[in-house]
């Protein structure tokens, strides 16, 4: 059976996994462990465990589409002192982490409970924080501060780093990358969901060593404070800074612009359409209409999965 | 198949259900909905739903003895702002209540998830608070204030009531009582777990009307602030004030005193051995050694269940 590994985090991984789970493949999600915002961030600070949010999204993506346990994992409290804003899936993962004593075991138990198809592996089991050096040499620490900038969001990110130092990759994640037939990187926030995985010691090395076809899925829209003004070629250039040049075999890129009304909405958040300006540069380019609907600037899980499976 | 209904709440119901679930019977737990303390009380205040605690204990009692979901339902957070002290089972029941829109549906969904044997029914689906009039006419409102007295705990409870008024019973609970072959009342805290069920409009009426054998299981120890100085006959007398005289067919009473060392420990909490002073008074008396271990002043689930099944 074909072995497909998805590397990422956030809603990008959720989307691609939802599409890929319909195929008869051995599916593995390698997920970022640097989230520090919202419910996840509060739990991370208060319990000292690794952040549960990215794993939770993958668990939901790979669980059957219906079922009360899935609903519970998605449930968010909207009141209650200290409970308000907490995601119940995060609380369940926190309890499982406490009961089992390890993040990878907690995710595995949750996967069993949710009857998940495929595997979800943390990219690392070591606690570390994401940081960024901006073009003015300002240093921003903690994932949520990069994701939701409190600094001048017009400043470009010059370099990402992990504090206190890049930890070792989780060996299960390395093994799955080495044994993969296809490695899918993205889609997702470039600096806060994708590249953080490539900062982990052993991950870019494993991707290079793997005989898999290496596929990068570029985003549909830019994100203010991270990729302002980026064209598809800029996404790839930044990615290659951390992954190495000549590693990617394919770049998948949406070429259908969302409806003008929607573009206006995104303009308010200073997000723009990512121009598919790619020219072959050691990798093959797959351009396609990957839009979910013309009035939604996000990938359609089925179109994206089909494109990946056709490679 | 024999239909057995257990009426109560708290750890007493937990104990008797754990024993009875091993028999091939149709088992139903009718549980009190007046808890207002701890994690349950906080959720009750902040969400406005009915208290989940008593149903949670029954769910755990009737679920298979092992399994991660059971562990999660039993898990209690010991840190986290606002999370500390919360029971995860209570949080799951709160989320299920919010998702399904009704307490009875929430309990049913939890029972499905936990693969519970038997049924758990709320005694009522209306929100109400327990109150007590003490012998000095002082009025204490809220279950937790009776359970953990802040008033002079030497004062006897003269009368229990529900505020704002006794609500109607949940019709499913009434039906199960009417159709039962055996009704087991207790064991459990007399004024905070047992009698509250008998204050619900329709419950004592249904018990009287039912052709079931009606069995009261007396406590092993007294509880300071509730049943100080009570002998077995006092427990029955108080119960009959709310249930009616001549309704009980059997009273089950432990006659084995716990070890002296343990009695000393209980003395510190002003709890004493309940003397089995019963004399037949319209009901049959079943006295037996029901102690879990000589160094534990609580019912052994198996001994208790066997005694009940032999009736």
């Amino acid at each position: 059976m074909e072995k497909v590994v998805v590397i990422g985090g956030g809603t990008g991984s959720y989307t691609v996994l939802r599409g890929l789970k319909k195929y008869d493949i051995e599916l593995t999600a390698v997920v970022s462990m640097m989230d520090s915002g919202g419910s996840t961030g509060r739990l991370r600070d208060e319990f000292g465990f690794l952040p549960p949010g990215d794993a939770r999204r993958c668990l939901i993506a790979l669980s059957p589409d219906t079922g009360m346990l899935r609903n519970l994992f998605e449930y968010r409290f909207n009141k209650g002192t200290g409970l308000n804003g907490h995601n119940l899936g995060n609380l369940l993962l926190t309890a499982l982490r406490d009961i089992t004593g390890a993040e990878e075991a907690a995710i595995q138990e949750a996967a069993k409970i949710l009857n998940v198809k495929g595997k979800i592996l943390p990219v690392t089991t070591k606690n570390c924080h994401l940081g960024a050096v901006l073009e003015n040499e300002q240093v921003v620490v903690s994932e949520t501060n990069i994701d939701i900038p409190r600094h001048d969001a017009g400043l470009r990110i010059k370099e990402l780093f992990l504090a206190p130092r890049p930890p070792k990759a989780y060996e299960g994640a390395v093994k799955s990358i080495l044994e993969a037939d296809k490695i899918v990187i993205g889609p997702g926030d470039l600096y806060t969901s994708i590249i953080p995985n490539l900062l982990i010691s052993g991950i870019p090395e494993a991707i290079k060593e793997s005989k898999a076809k290496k596929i990068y899925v570029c985003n549909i829209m830019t994100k203010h404070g991270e990729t302002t003004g980026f064209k598809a070629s800029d996404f790839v250039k930044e990615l290659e800074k951390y992954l190495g040049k000549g590693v990617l075999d394919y770049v998948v890129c949406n070429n259908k612009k969302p409806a003008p009304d929607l573009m206006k909405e995104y303009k308010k958040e200073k997000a723009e359409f990512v121009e598919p300006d790619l020219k072959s540069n050691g990798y093959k380019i797959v351009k396609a209409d990957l839009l979910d609907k013309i009035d939604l600037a996000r990938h359609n899980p089925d179109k994206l999965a089909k494109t990946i499976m056709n490679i």
Side-chain angles (χ1 to χ4, degrees), chain A residues 280-298:
Chain A
S280 195
N281 199 354
Y283 45 79
K284 294 197 178 97
I285 298 154
V286 183
K287 289 184 193 172
D289 167 7
L290 298 173
L291 271 197
D292 195 5
K293 292 175 192 167
I294 190 78
D295 57 349
L296 274 176
R298 65 181 187 205

Side-chain angles (χ1 to χ4, degrees), chain A residues 46-154:
Chain A
E46 297 185 335
F47 287 81
F49 300 152
L50 295 191
D54 288 290
R56 173 178 52 80
R57 283 185 207 95
C58 292
L59 284 163
I60 293 169
L62 293 180
S63 68
D65 286 339
T66 55
M68 193 49 87
L69 274 161
R70 182 197 168 103
N71 295 344
L72 285 172
F73 262 81
E74 282 189 301
Y75 181 84
R76 196 177 284 274
F77 290 99
N78 63 5
K79 56 181 93 164
T81 314
L83 276 179
N84 199 353
H86 264 313
N87 183 289
L88 186 51
N90 287 346
L91 298 184
L92 285 162
L93 282 166
T94 300
L96 285 169
R97 165 63 183 79
D98 197 17
I99 292 168
T100 63
E103 274 77 13
E104 60 276 33
I107 297 169
Q108 219 170 3
E109 289 292 339
K112 253 195 263 174
I113 288 170
L114 284 166
N115 199 15
V116 150
K117 193 197 153 167
K119 273 190 292 192
I120 298 151
L121 306 176
V123 70
T124 182
T125 55
K126 303 272 180 255
N127 222 323
C128 62
H129 273 282
L130 188 67
V133 182
L134 307 180
E135 57 179 317
N136 67 345
E137 300 298 330
Q138 188 181 341
V139 176
V140 178
V141 178
S142 190
E143 186 269 350
T144 187
N145 295 331
I146 305 168
D147 190 36
I148 307 164
R150 294 185 290 182
H151 56 267
D152 174 1

Side-chain angles (χ1 to χ4, degrees), chain A residues 294-305:
Chain A
I294 190 78
D295 57 349
L296 274 176
R298 65 181 187 205
H299 286 99
N300 175 286
D302 295 328
K303 286 184 187 172
L304 179 54

Side-chain angles (χ1 to χ4, degrees), chain A residues 12 125 256 268 309:
Chain A
T125 55
K256 175 91 178 174
K268 288 181 198 162
M309 292 309 294

Side-chain angles (χ1 to χ4, degrees), chain A residues 111-305:
Chain A
K112 253 195 263 174
I113 288 170
L114 284 166
N115 199 15
V116 150
K117 193 197 153 167
K119 273 190 292 192
I120 298 151
L121 306 176
V123 70
T124 182
T125 55
K126 303 272 180 255
N127 222 323
C128 62
H129 273 282
L130 188 67
V133 182
L134 307 180
E135 57 179 317
N136 67 345
E137 300 298 330
Q138 188 181 341
V139 176
V140 178
V141 178
S142 190
E143 186 269 350
T144 187
N145 295 331
I146 305 168
D147 190 36
I148 307 164
R150 294 185 290 182
H151 56 267
D152 174 1
L155 291 166
R156 283 219 174 194
I157 291 167
K158 207 172 84 175
E159 190 200 337
L160 276 185
F161 63 90
L162 292 178
R165 67 195 66 81
K168 259 186 68 180
Y170 171 54
E171 56 188 21
V174 170
K175 188 163 177 276
S176 74
I177 289 169
L178 289 174
E179 292 173 354
D181 298 303
K182 269 178 195 155
I183 296 169
V184 181
I185 303 171
D189 288 346
L190 187 65
Y191 292 111
T192 47
S193 290
I194 306 304
I195 293 174
N197 293 295
L198 304 178
L199 300 174
I200 302 291
S201 170
I203 295 293
E205 294 82 350
I207 297 173
K208 269 171 230 159
E209 193 182 330
S210 173
K211 297 203 159 42
K213 291 177 182 167
K214 291 129 198 176
I215 305 160
Y216 171 59
V217 180
C218 190
N219 290 355
I220 294 175
M221 303 294 291
T222 64
K223 182 167 185 256
H224 189 54
E226 288 199 29
T227 50
T228 313
F230 271 39
K231 296 184 166 57
S233 59
D234 297 311
F235 276 88
V236 176
K237 217 190 304 170
E238 276 301 287
L239 189 78
E240 285 184 328
K241 254 171 68 178
Y242 299 89
L243 180 63
K245 265 191 160 262
V247 178
L248 290 176
D249 298 303
Y250 295 85
V251 174
V252 173
C253 192
N254 168 62
N255 62 3
K256 175 91 178 174
K257 212 168 174 171
D261 279 1
L262 185 68
M263 292 302 292
K264 259 189 231 162
E265 284 304 304
Y266 271 88
K267 197 113 198 168
K268 288 181 198 162
E269 295 172 22
K270 299 185 181 168
E272 287 171 299
F273 182 64
V274 174
E275 293 295 339
D277 68 333
L278 296 165
K279 286 193 182 81
S280 195
N281 199 354
Y283 45 79
K284 294 197 178 97
I285 298 154
V286 183
K287 289 184 193 172
D289 167 7
L290 298 173
L291 271 197
D292 195 5
K293 292 175 192 167
I294 190 78
D295 57 349
L296 274 176
R298 65 181 187 205
H299 286 99
N300 175 286
D302 295 328
K303 286 184 187 172
L304 179 54

